[in-house]
Amino acid sequence: MNASTKARLIWGAMIAAVALGLLWQFFPLADAAARLADLPERGIMMQSREIPVTEAEASIFAGATVVKRLVKVRNQAVVLTVIDGTRNRHAVHDPAFCFRGAGWEVEAEAPFAVEWGEARRVALSRRGEAAEALYWFSDGERAFGSPLGYWWRTTLRRVSLGVSGQEPILIVLTPIDDRSVDWDALLAGWPELGAI
């Protein structure tokens, strides 16, 4: 391939990228607001209440839709944080960055099977304190624990102008105290969580 052919290909790719960028401005994608609105505040074995995001969270999540609730399922309590990054893709990222930003060290991370797919269970430590968290991404049909999978699905969705599926969201569960959580029992008592 000679130099002029390479130059034409590069210019063609640049023009296509600019054209796609302009096209995307005129086709805003649907967000996950309806799915988040469908998450009930109460269930047979669950009750919850909204809690405000902190100032730091509000600046990080600016433009994104965030649901943050204190949830009690039977005798276990967790904080639920759900982030829809349709309007701010940078608000959704690998949760390990947030844990580290809050001063936690990620000690271990492993797949965790849920009825609607796969989540990630994370063991954390901070100044002699231990905690854990459970997170996954959901496209409304299945759960997956890979930040790379999230990036791939959102990119494909933007390139296809939404034809490839619904916007993936990030779901993070963290205990409110240092007690360990029986994640299987908690999720069994909260089946509505799998629908978002």
Side-chain angles (χ1 to χ4, degrees):
M1 189 179 299
N2 63 31
S4 67
T5 304
K6 286 182 184 178
R8 281 190 216 124
L9 287 174
I10 290 171
W11 277 105
M14 288 175 41
I15 291 169
V18 169
L20 280 173
L22 291 172
L23 183 63
W24 288 331
Q25 300 302 314
F26 297 108
F27 290 97
L29 298 175
D31 60 17
R35 287 168 39 214
L36 299 182
D38 284 345
L39 185 62
E41 290 188 21
R42 298 195 181 287
I44 295 172
M45 293 177 254
M46 177 274 295
Q47 60 185 357
S48 69
R49 66 175 173 83
E50 295 287 328
I51 55 177
V53 295
T54 65
E55 283 186 35
E57 290 170 332
S59 67
I60 292 169
F61 300 143
T65 302
V66 179
V67 171
K68 190 171 179 184
R69 293 183 185 172
L70 177 61
V71 182
K72 187 172 182 185
V73 180
R74 296 181 183 155
N75 63 344
Q76 300 188 94
V78 295
V79 173
L80 165 72
T81 306
V82 183
I83 307 164
D84 170 12
T86 305
R87 308 285 176 249
N88 177 0
R89 286 185 71 192
H90 303 291
V92 179
H93 48 269
D94 185 343
F97 293 124
C98 289
F99 298 140
R100 289 186 186 107
W104 294 96
E105 290 295 323
V106 176
E107 298 295 332
E109 187 173 344
F112 186 85
V114 293
E115 185 178 331
W116 47 90
E118 182 180 273
R120 301 291 293 173
R121 185 177 184 171
V122 183
L124 307 165
S125 68
R126 177 174 64 185
R127 296 184 298 276
E129 186 180 0
E132 60 184 15
L134 192 68
Y135 74 85
W136 65 92
F137 302 89
S138 172
D139 61 8
E141 295 179 15
R142 63 194 166 283
F144 53 98
S146 166
L148 184 59
Y150 167 81
W151 178 84
W152 170 250
R153 283 173 176 86
T154 58
T155 300
L156 181 60
R157 184 169 187 264
R158 279 158 180 76
V159 169
S160 71
L161 300 175
V163 173
S164 68
Q166 297 185 63
E167 181 70 20
I169 56 175
L170 171 62
I171 300 153
V172 182
L173 300 175
T174 53
I176 61 167
D177 53 32
D178 60 357
R179 290 183 293 168
S180 65
V181 174
D182 181 346
W183 295 111
D184 289 316
L186 183 122
L187 295 174
W190 194 5
E192 301 88 355
L193 193 56
I196 62 168

